[in-house]
């Protein structure tokens, strides 16, 4: 009888131990998934910064001998080879970013010159990505060509041109860039939309 009780006690203890091990594995798995998700988001933000920098550099190099940026459109940029191949969308003539949102390009009047500047618009950005991209230093010197940044809560088809002046430092509304984290967090609320849209402006 004593041996039978010992066997039952050991079996019960083994079951409790196994449940404990499973619980620990479950907690570690949840933590691992959360950590992986954060790491992937950081990777996509870094990739976006690289893509924007590369695209802008390619466009400015291609147009270095031109009077303006006439002809810069989403489809035109693909045809001219200024877009990294990894950004080309599944539909012909479209571009997508690392967050699978649309990327659009176009021109804007700058310093009274038609097509004197161009914009690069990224849709489908989460709040963390929006804040990180808005607080990054995209260039403060004239050589960078960076003139400003805007944030919106909906995909852009034809963005309104901010009142940029060639005599001012890069701006976001009344703020000089890069934005402070607090200002960026407020701007990236995106009017209660699920995602944000960031537009970079260059000349």
């Amino acid at each position: 009888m004593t041996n039978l009780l010992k066997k039952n006690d050991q079996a019960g203890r083994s079951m409790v131990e196994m449940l404990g091990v499973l619980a620990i594995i479950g907690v570690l798995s949840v933590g691992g998934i959360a950590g992986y998700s954060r790491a992937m988001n950081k990777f996509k933000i870094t990739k976006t910064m690289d893509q924007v920098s590369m695209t802008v550099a390619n466009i400015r190099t291609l147009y270095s001998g031109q009077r303006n940026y006439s002809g810069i459109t989403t489809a035109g940029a693909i045809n001219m080879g200024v877009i990294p191949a990894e950004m080309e969308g599944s539909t012909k003539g479209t571009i997508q970013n690392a967050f699978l949102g649309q990327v659009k390009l176009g021109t804007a009047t700058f310093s009274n010159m038609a097509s004197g500047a161009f914009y690069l618009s990224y849709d489908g950005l989460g709040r963390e990505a929006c804040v990180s991209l808005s607080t990054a230093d995209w260039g403060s010197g004239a050589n960078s060509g960076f003139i400003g940044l805007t944030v919106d809560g909906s995909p852009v088809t034809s963005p309104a041109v901010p009142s940029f002046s060639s005599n001012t430092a890069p701006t976001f509304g009344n703020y000089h860039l890069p934005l402070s984290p607090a200002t960026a967090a407020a701007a990236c609320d995106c009017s209660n939309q699920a995602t944000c849209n960031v537009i970079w402006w260059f000349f």
Side-chain angles (χ1 to χ4, degrees), residues 18-86:
M18 184 176 286
L19 289 173
V21 169
L22 289 174
I24 291 169
I25 290 172
V27 169
L28 291 175
S29 296
V30 170
I33 291 169
Y36 175 77
S37 179
R38 280 194 299 272
M40 281 303 296
N41 203 44
K42 295 287 185 190
F43 170 76
K44 289 178 182 178
I45 291 170
T46 301
K47 191 172 184 181
T48 295
M49 290 180 175
D50 291 342
Q51 289 175 346
V52 170
S53 298
M54 186 180 298
T55 302
V56 169
N58 289 345
I59 291 172
R60 296 190 79 224
T61 299
L62 182 64
Y63 278 82
S64 60
Q66 304 296 311
R67 289 175 53 84
N68 58 33
Y69 291 98
S70 178
I72 287 293
T73 61
T74 304
I78 295 171
N79 293 335
M80 288 183 273
V82 296
I83 300 297
E86 64 186 11

Side-chain angles (χ1 to χ4, degrees), residues 176-190:
H176 286 293
L177 296 175
L179 294 180
S180 70
T183 303
C188 291
D189 180 46
C190 298

Side-chain angles (χ1 to χ4, degrees), residues 48 51-52 87 97 102-103 121-123 125 196-198 200:
T48 295
Q51 289 175 346
V52 170
M87 292 178 66
N97 57 50
Q102 280 197 318
V103 176
S121 166
Y122 268 54
D123 294 342
L125 300 174
C196 298
N197 169 268
V198 174
W200 294 265

Side-chain angles (χ1 to χ4, degrees), residues 41-42 45-46 49 99 126-138 149 178-179 181 184-185 188 198 200:
N41 203 44
K42 295 287 185 190
I45 291 170
T46 301
M49 290 180 175
F99 295 90
R127 191 168 192 181
E128 182 185 354
C130 179
V131 171
S132 295
L133 296 171
S134 300
T135 54
D137 185 1
W138 293 100
L149 179 140
L179 294 180
C188 291
V198 174
W200 294 265

